[in-house]
Amino acid sequence: MRNQDGGMPVRAEYRGLPVLPADQVVTGLIPHEPPNFQTPAALQLLSEPVCVVTGRRGVGKTQLAAAYARQRVSDGWLVAWIGAETPDQIRAGLVELADRLGLYRPEDSAEVTAARVRNHLQTRPEQALLVFDNVVSLDGIRPHLPSVGRCQVVITSTRRGSQIGHEVLVDVFAPEDAERFLCETTGLDDHAGAAELATEVGHLPLALAQAASRIRAARWDFAKYLEKFRAYPAEKHLSRRDGDPYPVGAATAILLALEPFQDSELVRVLSVLSPDGVSRQVLGDSADDELVQLHEASLVEFAGDSSVLMHRLVQRVIRDLGSGVEIATTLLFDQIKLVGDAWQHRQFGNELIRQVEALWKNTDPTTSTKVSKAVLTMRWWATTFLSTIEDFARSDALTAEVYADCVARLGDDQEFLLRSRHMASVNTWVAPDQLLSQLRIDLVTRRGNSVRSTRARSPRRGPSACAASNSARRTRQSPCSNKPWKRGMASRSTLMPSPRQWMTSAPRTCSPGVRKTRLYCLNSVSR
C-alpha cells in the first residue's frame, strides 16, 4: 500500500511524524519508529538542557534520540535533526534550519549563519529541540550549543566521559528484555531458545531485530536459526579491525539477514551512500518494493518524508562482501544530469552533494582510476552547485578538500590535476593569494620533469608555427566565456552543467568579486 502521491509505503509499523501545522518548524531526517520498537527506559532521562546519549554502535542511541524527537514534534516544538559526523554536515544542517527560520543570508559565512541560529534559539520564547546525531568531535559542536533559553540539545555519540552535558548511557538489552523481545517479535513460545540466541548475538538490539525478522520471514524456530547461525563462516566474510567493539555474533546475524538479498544491487548501493539517509528521489521509484522487503528484514529504516537509513554496521558488513562504489557512481552520475535550475532544485542538489561525499569516503586507493575520476568530477560539480546557490562558505571549504584529494589520489595525472587547479582557482575565495600560490607550486613541481623531457624529445618549431599557434589560441572561445559570475550576484536561472561538462577557469584578469568561468568536457572520465 502506497501514499496517494506515490511516496513510501504506508503501514501501521511505519510510524513517522504526524501532519504538522504550517507554522511548525521541523528539519532533518528524523528516523521513523521501527517495527516492534520497545520504548527505552532511558527516554525518561532526557530531561536536562544538554544530554549526551552515548554507547557503542548498534545499541539504539539514534533510536532513543529519534523517539524523543518524535515526541517533541507531537508536542509542537521546533525540532531540528542534524547529522553531525562531519563539519560539512553540521554546516548544511544549520543552514537548512536558518533557511526555515528566515535567518539565512547567502553573503554570510557559515560561522555567521551558525551564530545567528544560536542567538535565535537562545532568545526564542517557544520550546525547541536540537539533535546532533552521530557526533564524532564534541568540540566541533560546542560553539553551536545555546547557553541560555528554552532550547534543549540531545547529542548521540560513541564518545564517553565528556563534560559537555548530562551523559545518558545506552547499553545492550538485559537478558530478560532480550528474551521477551525475541518471543514477542517472532511469536514463538520458547524462552530457553530465545535466551540462547540472545546470548549468541551479545544481546545487541540491532542483531536481535535482524535475527527475529529472519526467523519470522523464513518461519524457522530458534533451534533452526541457531543451527544455521553456528554453521555460518562469518570470519571468512568480515575482516575484524583492531579494537573493534562488535561481537562476531552481531555480524553473523547481519549476514544471515542478508542471505535473501545476496544479488541485490540496491543493498550494495546503500552500503556506500550516506548512513544519515538516502531519499527515494535518488534511488528511484523502482526501488520501493525492495525497500519494503529490506525494512521488514530490519536492514533499513525509514526517515523523514521519503528517505531510507542503513545502519553503519550493516553498511560495513555489506562492503566487506563486495563494494558497490561503481554502481553507486553510475546512479549518482545519472541523477546529477537531471539537475537543471540550481535554485529550483536546491534541496535535491544538497542531497546529491551529501551522497557524493559519502561515496568518496568509501572509495580508496584500490578503486579504479576511472571511478575515482568520476567521483572527483561529481565533487567538483558539487562545488559549482554550491556557488550557484550562493552558499560560498561551503563551496570554499569543499573546493579546498577536493583539490587536496585530487593531488593525493591522482597527482600523476597531469591533465586532471591541471583541470583541478583551474577549478580551485575559480571556486575558492578563502585566502586566494596563499591558496593559488600553493596550487601553482603543486602544479609546477609535478609537471617539471615531464615538461623538460618533452622539450628534449620535441623538435624546435619555427617562428611561423609559433605565430599560428598563438593566433589559434587567441581566437579559441569557450561557450561560456562571456558569462561572469559575481559573488553574491549569481544568476538564479543559471543551469548547472552535467558532470561531463566540468566547469573550470581559464586564467583571466578579473575585478575583485568577479569569477569568470569556462566549460570544458572531461573526456578523461569516459576513458
Side-chain angles (χ1 to χ4, degrees), residues 2-82:
R2 304 184 186 280
N3 288 330
Q4 293 181 354
D5 63 356
M8 281 301 204
V10 178
R11 297 185 182 181
E13 64 267 27
Y14 302 154
R15 298 184 179 90
L17 301 178
V19 178
L20 304 178
D23 59 346
Q24 184 177 0
V25 176
V26 176
T27 64
L29 298 177
I30 303 176
H32 295 188
E33 182 177 311
N36 308 298
F37 180 67
Q38 294 189 353
T39 303
L43 190 65
Q44 305 302 320
L45 302 177
L46 301 181
S47 57
E48 299 295 327
V50 178
C51 297
V52 181
V53 181
T54 184
R56 63 177 178 172
R57 297 199 186 279
V59 295
K61 301 182 299 297
T62 295
Q63 279 301 337
L64 173 62
Y68 187 70
R70 292 191 297 266
Q71 177 181 315
R72 291 314 183 193
V73 169
S74 299
D75 293 339
W77 290 25
L78 176 155
V79 176
W81 184 280
I82 299 175

Side-chain angles (χ1 to χ4, degrees), residues 463-478 481 506-508 518:
S464 59
C466 292
S469 176
N470 291 335
S471 175
R473 187 180 298 109
R474 284 194 300 269
T475 58
R476 187 183 301 127
Q477 295 295 325
S478 167
S481 60
R508 299 287 296 270
R518 293 183 178 183

Side-chain angles (χ1 to χ4, degrees), residues 157-402:
S157 177
T158 56
R159 303 295 177 89
R160 297 188 60 181
S162 78
Q163 304 298 318
I164 204 170
H166 174 63
E167 190 169 281
V168 178
L169 177 62
V170 181
D171 206 348
V172 297
F173 279 166
E176 58 274 12
D177 293 335
E179 179 184 328
R180 182 174 63 254
F181 173 82
L182 285 173
C183 290
E184 291 178 356
T185 305
T186 61
L188 299 175
D189 187 17
D190 180 5
H191 292 273
E196 189 176 359
L197 173 55
T199 302
E200 288 281 358
V201 299
H203 301 96
L204 194 69
L206 176 66
L208 289 168
Q210 289 164 348
S213 297
R214 186 76 174 105
I215 290 170
R216 186 175 61 248
R219 299 184 180 182
W220 293 339
D221 56 17
F222 292 128
K224 178 66 174 179
Y225 183 88
L226 284 168
E227 178 185 346
K228 296 183 70 66
F229 181 93
R230 289 164 178 162
Y232 202 95
E235 294 85 353
K236 178 180 177 181
H237 300 283
L238 184 65
S239 55
R240 188 182 185 281
R241 300 168 187 169
D242 185 40
D244 200 333
Y246 300 119
V248 175
T252 306
I254 295 172
L255 289 168
L256 284 175
L258 286 167
E259 273 191 329
F261 307 99
Q262 289 181 352
D263 299 325
S264 170
E265 290 189 350
L266 177 61
V267 165
R268 295 171 63 190
V269 166
L270 289 172
S271 72
V272 294
L273 296 184
S274 174
D276 295 307
V278 184
S279 72
R280 170 180 170 269
Q281 187 177 4
V282 171
L283 298 174
D285 295 346
S286 60
D288 279 3
D289 291 335
E290 189 171 0
L291 287 175
V292 173
Q293 298 172 10
L294 291 171
H295 182 268
E296 292 173 345
S298 296
L299 289 170
V300 300
E301 300 170 357
F302 294 139
D305 293 332
S306 60
S307 295
V308 60
L309 310 173
M310 177 174 279
H311 195 278
R312 289 169 175 81
L313 175 56
V314 178
Q315 287 183 315
R316 181 191 141 192
V317 172
I318 296 170
R319 290 195 300 268
D320 282 348
L321 293 175
S323 175
V325 169
E326 187 168 355
I327 302 173
T329 300
T330 302
L331 171 68
L332 294 181
F333 232 94
D334 292 340
Q335 292 295 337
I336 288 175
K337 292 176 185 177
L338 302 178
V339 179
D341 189 294
W343 279 94
Q344 290 184 4
H345 299 91
R346 293 194 304 276
Q347 184 175 356
F348 184 48
N350 277 306
E351 159 81 359
L352 289 174
I353 291 172
R354 187 162 56 86
Q355 303 308 330
V356 168
E357 287 302 293
L359 180 61
W360 174 252
K361 186 177 179 180
N362 287 308
T363 63
D364 55 50
T366 63
T367 304
S368 70
T369 301
K370 177 182 178 181
V371 173
S372 294
K373 284 184 177 181
V375 180
L376 285 167
T377 301
M378 289 191 290
R379 297 182 77 200
W380 281 128
W381 167 87
T383 65
T384 305
F385 182 92
L386 291 172
S387 292
T388 306
I389 63 173
E390 301 178 358
D391 194 345
F392 297 113
R394 289 180 62 202
S395 177
D396 290 346
L398 184 58
T399 295
E401 292 178 16
V402 178

